[in-house]
């Protein structure tokens, strides 16, 4: 899990740099700071399990098993990307690992995740689907519609609410009345809260719930308390009007998920500083190699523009 | 060939495809025991059980979303949307998600689902239960749009839709559910993008889908009495659109009227008429005439509602003027 | 309140007859059996207070002060109807009494009601808006979106859920997971349940909540347990596959809202049998007179077809 | 006349109307302190406070519904929909409710609201943040649709929209927010249904709204170098549409190209082209040419995205062929 979290952090550092160097088209939303959420959950999943992701989707994609090269290529709009450059950061999908895709419509994937679980139930397949979404997405009515059906039909789906305290430039308490967990419970769905910076706690809870869901005891709801280090997107630099520098420093310094796991590994004698540093450096060099690969990769041929509108056959 | 209703034809298509392919299921409001308000799906739940004929809460965006997710992962859902007017509720899942997923994923994911819904006014159902909204979905790349005009088309097109690997929206005409037509006993499917020439003629081409095919056919009969020989074409699918059959016909007749039950402004008559005007330009003896529904919300009062929709008499009238050269706008 | 309930019952009896006689275009949804809900609530409202209504809207319209003639005219598509015949049963509205309209989209009026309350707050007006909707409508995501905003902004709106046990041909427990009241509470909204056949209980609760809402203590949520005597719509005759004859008889015989109030009035010595009978007969003759009026009234001139698409000026 | 950006023009229009009329308020996501992602509404909250500049949760159907209810009862809301692509989420409230309430109530209720949103691709925002969906709303009776093509239009049309007693959808071009234009200091409003002739010409009429007006103007400059004299028309509003200005022009030039950033199929070019073909039939020397965006979801990759949208070079090229008589489809 340490490596996976490091890979996400390093991926985002590189993505940010690509943006600053004007090498990346458009803009993107960084997952840094929230690594324990994606990794803690996805490590509880099999490759046949499915996830749906969000606009802030690099972490989910990586945690579900994607590789650097195809991800960087996608971010740069290259033909070797996961979506042949057609999706970009906000639509990255990796169907070989069960990632049904990022989504640029907030809450837009909640139906998809629940539908994937319905398919599993109908086809008597034992895979579980995890639906990632932010605290802001709890304001989308679609969530309540699909939770109702998931609860009625006992679908193997887990709703994972990444509560990072903000949706864009607004803090969660200004946009969410009452209690998020109670909303799930009102539909008869068991709901849990967990420290989203503690990958071990996340993983423990997720493993338990995934196995229950696999046995037909779903659905479940988890609220994961976490924090995004960067702005809402790469261009969101001046943030003091909506959150304080102190708050940011506090999370980065005292609640960093990678450091928390690192400290744990060291305390438990599982790894030492040098090993961790080496691991991190290895991830870094893999990433740089992949960035170079992506920068030199080809764009799709323009004849691809009207391919894939419809599936032939 | 037995004569069956459009409603039975749809029912047969669903049953046959569900027997053939285990991954097909039906989902919507009151589709099981109740068999929908139009009784189209009656009896299916007895054969396929509530596992595959799924009653939902009144959550159109929700079950549309479920269908997208199920389709992406190996099922082939048929979504029953009780009234075409509720399309507005599912547009995000249909147009932002289903329509785009194949493309956005570079061809790696796909969404084989069918959205069955309906169109048509003059049932005294007022503004929110009478709309014909096919133009909206036809505008969105990634969606196919089928418009059956009889039991025969309804069965053949629906079977094709269910086997298609893309999202297909199919509009049935509410007023036609009890209309009968001859339908082969043996299996058949109707290809998308292939128009039907229902009647050959030399003087004017009348083009209409769904409910308007009957209107065109009746207009042709009226015109016959005046010695005017109308060709009637039913495109059957709007996306893909069989442009060549339409153009070939107009090149022969030199005149065309495009009839539709959707609103005229920014509707499907505009697309078809402008393609004809562009691509058969030098063959036209007169401007292509468009006859869509009036650009008003559908009124409840029967006296008003009836005049919002094109009628056979109205079409025949226009055709007579067209042939007589009287439809030239002031210079 | 007795007269108001009688008027609704009699209105529906006449509407049903008009349908059976093929004098009414289209079909319609009867409110019979649920009279205490509309009347108990609307009697707690001022004429300046607003309501939004549903596809089953005759009761709300009548209870909020509408008159027989304009209502029957609307049902028959006549120009003297509330909407000049353009709306019909499913869109009947009466802006003079604050009825913002029936709605043929299940749940479609929830935003409208909440928006009316937002307007009241912004304009510092002290009117309250009541949003009527059925149990089936709780499956529409829109409800949760607007309850969230109503709760965040303390809007003077009351959500009145008419739980008649069914949505169309499906019973409520098959389509609603968990607890409906808890769903409102999860958004921090105070929620109450009341016997919807007991007009006095309904009115007492409604009066209390309306006055609280008027003082800025809203929003509130009420679930009213009730029953529709007829089918889902006038054409829904064979109902045994979704509900039993016994159940219907039980409600009609032992839980009729008009009889319950009648018994109360008699027990308390407020009215006797004769008075109640006379009152009922008076309502009936008013209704027949209005039906005749409506049958003989004019349809709109066809030139009206393209009027009112846009408001001029 | 000061030169200001389109973003400033919109900001001014809102501020002026809010000062004039207390019932006007603004509602949407991150419109207050954040001033929207495009910083269009920055500063308004300081003047009008959070009472009238209202930040909402991410509930597009919800706040659209609130706006309808507020508008029906005496407010004049301006709804800020962050991306035009989110229209799909508000279609029910916009098209089933707002558009129809005046009509369904027989003229007794009305819904004076403005839905401000945007359109336009080539910002590398991919398929769900790049759509130009004006054709969809233009098809629905009861909605007016305005398409500003510069800061000047943006201010003048928005002020008219806010005072209109009907629901108006106004599409701003995302790429144009920083573009400057001269805007009068004194109060002005631009009437709906009145097209602007931006450049007079004799050989061909180029018609484009919003982003495509600039494309048409640039194409006209390119054509000038070849001695081709193009007239450029910006209809400014699609509903109501100023048909007569367009027809008058085409009757003079005998040729027309209709350019649009929405998808071509079943889009706005079809409506405008078919009206010209019908009503200026005998004046046309060549078929009316339609140039919409490609009928594909907007791809992310810049090399692909750039070719999906009409360009000045593309328009000029077509115009040259049109004038040379080379655009006749095979006989
Ligand atoms: C339907 C919709 N509305 C608005 C947006 C614009 N938007 C993108 S991300 C975002 C905030 C989402 O907040 P949250 O769900 O908490 O996720 P986070 O960004 O915090 O990870 C918004 C409003 C969108 N993409 N889709
Ligand atoms: C959005 C939408 N979906 C479906 C329907 C069809 N429909 C009309 S009434 C109804 C049942 C509503 O049930 P409920 O809200 O409980 O109200 P009731 O009829 O019991 O009063 C349905 C499904 C509709 N009109 N609108
Ligand atoms: Mg968040
Ligand atoms: Mg009910």
């Amino acid at each position: 899990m340490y490596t996976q979290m490091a890979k996400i952090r390093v991926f985002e550092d590189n993505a940010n740099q690509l943006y600053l160097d004007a090498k990346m088209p458009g803009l993107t939303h960084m997952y840094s700071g929230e690594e324990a959420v994606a990794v803690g959950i996805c490590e509880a999943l099999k490759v046949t399990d499915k996830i749906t992701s969000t606009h802030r989707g690099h972490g989910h994609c990586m945690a579900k098993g994607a590789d650097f090269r195809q991800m960087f290529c996608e971010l740069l709009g290259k033909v070797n990307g996961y979506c042949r450059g057609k999706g970009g950061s906000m639509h990255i999908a990796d169907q070989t690992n069960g990632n049904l895709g990022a989504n640029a419509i907030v809450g837009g994937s909640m139906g998809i995740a629940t539908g994937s679980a319905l398919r599993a139930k109908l086809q008597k397949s034992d895979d579980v689907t995890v639906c990632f979404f932010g605290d802001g997405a709890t304001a989308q009515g679609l969530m309540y519609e699909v939770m109702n059906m998931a609860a009625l039909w006992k679908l193997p789906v887990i709703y994972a609410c990444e509560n990072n305290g903000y949706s864009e430039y607004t803090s969660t308490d200004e946009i969410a009345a009452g209690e998020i967990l109670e909303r799930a419970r009102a539909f008869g769905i068991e709901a849990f809260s967990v420290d989203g910076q503690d990958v071990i706690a996340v993983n423990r809870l997720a493993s338990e719930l995934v196995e229950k869901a696999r046995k037909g005891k779903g659905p479940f709801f988890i609220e994961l308390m976490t924090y995004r280090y960067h702005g809402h997107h790469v261009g969101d630099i001046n943030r003091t009007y909506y959150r304080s520098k102190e708050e940011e420093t506090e999370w980065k310094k005292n609640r960093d998920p990678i450091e928390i796991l690192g400290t744990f590994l060291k305390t438990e004698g599982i790894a030492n500083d040098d090993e961790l540093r080496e691991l991190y450096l290895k991830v870094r060099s893999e990433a740089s190699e992949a960035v170079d690969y992506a920068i030199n990769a080809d764009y799709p041929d323009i004849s691809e523009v009207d391919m894939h509108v419809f599936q032939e056959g | 060939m037995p004569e069956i209703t459009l409603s039975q034809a749809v029912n047969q298509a669903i049953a046959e495809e569900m027997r053939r392919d285990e991954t097909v299921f039906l989902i919507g409001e009151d589709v099981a025991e109740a068999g929908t308000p139009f009784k189209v799906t009656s009896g299916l739940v007895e054969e396929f059980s509530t596992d595959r004929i799924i009653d939902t809460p009144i959550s159109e965006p929700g079950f549309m979303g479920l269908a997208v997710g199920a389709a992406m992962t190996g099922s082939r859902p048929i979504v029953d949307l009780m009234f075409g007017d509720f399309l507005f509720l599912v547009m995000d899942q249909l147009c932002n998600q289903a329509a785009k997923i194949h493309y956005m994923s570079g061809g790696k994911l796909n969404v084989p689902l069918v959205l069955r819904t309906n169109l048509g006014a003059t049932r005294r159902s007022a503004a929110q239960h009478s709309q014909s909204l096919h133009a909206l979905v036809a505008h969105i790349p990634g969606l196919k749009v089928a418009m059956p005009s009889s039991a025969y088309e309804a069965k053949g097109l629906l079977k094709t839709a269910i086997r298609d690997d893309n999202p297909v929206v199919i509009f049935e005409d509410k007023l036609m559910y009890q209309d009968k037509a001859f339908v082969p006993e043996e299996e058949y499917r109707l290809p998308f993008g292939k128009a039907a020439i229902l009647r050959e003629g030399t003087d004017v081409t009348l083009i209409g889908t769904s409910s308007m095919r009957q209107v065109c056919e009746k207009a042709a009969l009226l015109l016959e009495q005046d010695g005017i020989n109308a060709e009637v074409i039913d495109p059957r699918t709007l996306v893909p659109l069989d442009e060549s059959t339409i153009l070939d016909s107009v090149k022969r007749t030199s005149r065309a009227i495009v009839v539709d039950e959707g609103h005229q402004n920014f509707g499907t008559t505009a697309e078809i008429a402008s393609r004809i005007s562009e691509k058969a330009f030098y063959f036209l003896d007169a401007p292509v005439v468009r006859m869509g529904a009036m650009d008003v919300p559908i009124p409840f009062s029967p006296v008003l509602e009836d005049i919002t929709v094109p009628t056979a008499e109205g079409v025949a009238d226009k055709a007579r003027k067209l042939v007589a050269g009287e439809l030239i706008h002031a210079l």
Side-chain angles (χ1 to χ4, degrees), chain A residues 218-232:
Chain A
F220 297 104
F221 189 103
I222 317 180
E223 184 180 13
L224 303 110
M225 312 310 290
T226 185
Y227 202 75
R228 61 166 155 78
Y229 286 178
H230 293 262
H232 169 59

Side-chain angles (χ1 to χ4, degrees), chain A:
Chain A
M1 296 201 285
Y2 191 87
T3 316
Q4 285 297 76
M5 291 202 289
K7 277 171 96 172
I8 296 173
R9 181 72 52 91
V10 167
F11 182 89
E12 297 298 41
D13 290 344
N14 279 281
N16 197 31
Q17 196 55 48
L18 284 166
Y19 171 79
L20 295 174
D21 297 346
K23 287 189 179 143
M24 188 180 65
L27 42 74
T28 186
H29 308 80
M30 306 270 102
Y31 199 72
S32 316
E34 310 191 8
E35 293 87 351
V37 172
V39 171
I41 291 181
C42 290
E43 287 288 317
L45 298 176
K46 299 189 190 168
V47 65
T48 47
D49 291 327
K50 313 279 185 270
I51 64 166
T52 62
S53 165
T54 67
H55 59 286
R56 195 177 303 288
H58 307 159
H60 312 132
C61 194
M62 185 65 78
K64 196 69 178 55
D67 77 63
F68 276 142
R69 282 190 175 193
Q70 291 184 70
M71 282 186 67
F72 280 120
C73 279
E74 193 56 40
L75 254 63
L76 301 188
K78 302 299 178 79
V79 70
N80 289 344
Y82 273 109
C83 308
R84 304 187 72 79
K86 281 182 165 169
S89 163
M90 287 205 290
H91 301 291
I92 200 158
D94 168 15
Q95 96 288 9
T96 52
N97 287 303
N99 177 358
L100 302 178
N103 210 308
I105 302 296
V106 165
S109 67
M110 289 167 169
I112 293 172
T114 312
S116 166
L118 173 63
R119 179 267 322 148
K121 187 180 173 193
L122 293 179
Q123 304 193 349
K124 301 192 175 31
S125 166
D126 78 346
D127 61 282
V128 171
T129 305
V130 174
C131 176
F132 288 103
F133 56 95
D135 47 290
T138 63
Q140 286 281 333
L142 182 65
M143 172 165 139
Y144 304 92
E145 300 194 359
V146 301
M147 286 202 308
N148 186 35
M149 289 185 272
L152 285 168
W153 304 335
K154 298 201 173 304
L155 301 183
V157 57
I158 296 177
Y159 300 100
C161 177
E162 305 180 310
N163 189 341
N164 60 11
Y166 297 88
S167 44
E168 284 195 0
Y169 322 111
T170 303
S171 86
T172 309
D173 39 302
E174 286 171 46
I175 54 95
E179 292 291 332
I180 289 177
L181 287 183
E182 288 305 322
R183 299 190 194 171
R185 289 185 186 131
F187 288 87
I189 298 179
E190 260 190 275
F192 305 85
S193 184
V194 65
D195 177 358
Q197 307 306 90
D198 179 350
V199 74
I200 293 178
V202 172
N203 185 253
R204 194 182 308 120
L205 178 64
S207 301
E208 187 192 313
L209 299 182
V210 167
E211 288 321 309
K212 278 194 183 167
R214 219 183 277 297
K215 298 206 182 84
K217 304 235 164 76
F220 297 104
F221 189 103
I222 317 180
E223 184 180 13
L224 303 110
M225 312 310 290
T226 185
Y227 202 75
R228 61 166 155 78
Y229 286 178
H230 293 262
H232 169 59
H233 56 65
V234 282
D236 170 25
I237 305 294
N238 302 316
R239 299 184 286 270
T240 43
Y241 73 94
Y242 73 86
R243 72 183 199 188
S244 68
K245 286 231 154 68
E246 295 72 49
E247 181 185 292
E248 296 192 0
T249 316
E250 159 66 18
W251 282 82
K252 289 184 191 170
K253 244 179 98 175
N254 300 325
R255 304 193 57 185
D256 183 73
I258 302 183
E259 289 207 357
I260 291 176
L261 181 62
T263 309
F264 173 84
L265 294 176
K266 286 182 281 181
T267 326
E268 297 286 306
I270 302 170
N272 63 33
D273 262 333
D274 287 348
E275 286 166 333
L276 293 179
R277 196 171 313 115
E278 204 170 308
L279 212 152
Y280 211 90
L281 288 175
K282 185 155 160 279
V283 167
R284 271 219 195 133
S285 76
E286 272 172 43
S288 322
E289 182 276 329
V291 167
D292 290 343
Y293 172 86
I295 287 176
N296 295 314
D298 288 334
Y299 285 110
D301 188 87
I302 57 166
S303 68
E304 292 217 7
V305 71
D306 58 3
M307 280 168 59
H308 309 129
V309 178
F310 292 111
Q311 165 120 337
E312 309 296 323

Side-chain angles (χ1 to χ4, degrees), chain B residues 29-30 33-37 39 55-61 82 85-86 89 123-129 294-305 307-308:
Chain B
E29 290 155 19
D30 278 324
E33 285 78 12
T36 80
K39 305 295 165 202
D55 272 349
T56 65
I58 313 175
S59 304
E60 288 82 2
M82 200 184 285
D85 312 68
F86 307 159
L89 285 161
R123 284 181 76 247
R124 321 315 179 200
S125 305
Q128 295 173 337
H129 278 62
M294 288 183 75
D295 290 295
V296 305
I298 315 292
F300 169 69
S301 192
V303 294
L304 302 182
E305 187 179 28
I307 58 173
T308 63

Side-chain angles (χ1 to χ4, degrees), chain B residues 91-156:
Chain B
M91 288 298 265
D92 179 62
Q93 293 298 312
L94 181 66
C95 302
N96 272 336
Q97 312 293 345
K100 296 180 170 49
I101 283 169
H102 187 60
Y103 191 86
M104 293 192 302
S105 69
K108 298 199 180 151
L109 294 163
N110 70 323
V111 189
L113 69 79
V114 178
L115 177 59
R116 272 189 55 238
T117 191
N118 51 40
L119 57 71
T122 69
R123 284 181 76 247
R124 321 315 179 200
S125 305
Q128 295 173 337
H129 278 62
S130 308
Q131 294 169 85
S132 301
L133 297 174
H134 41 291
L136 299 188
V137 285
H139 182 53
I140 304 303
L143 300 177
K144 296 188 179 178
V145 183
M147 309 281 293
S149 60
S150 81
Y152 175 72
E153 272 84 5
K155 182 166 180 185

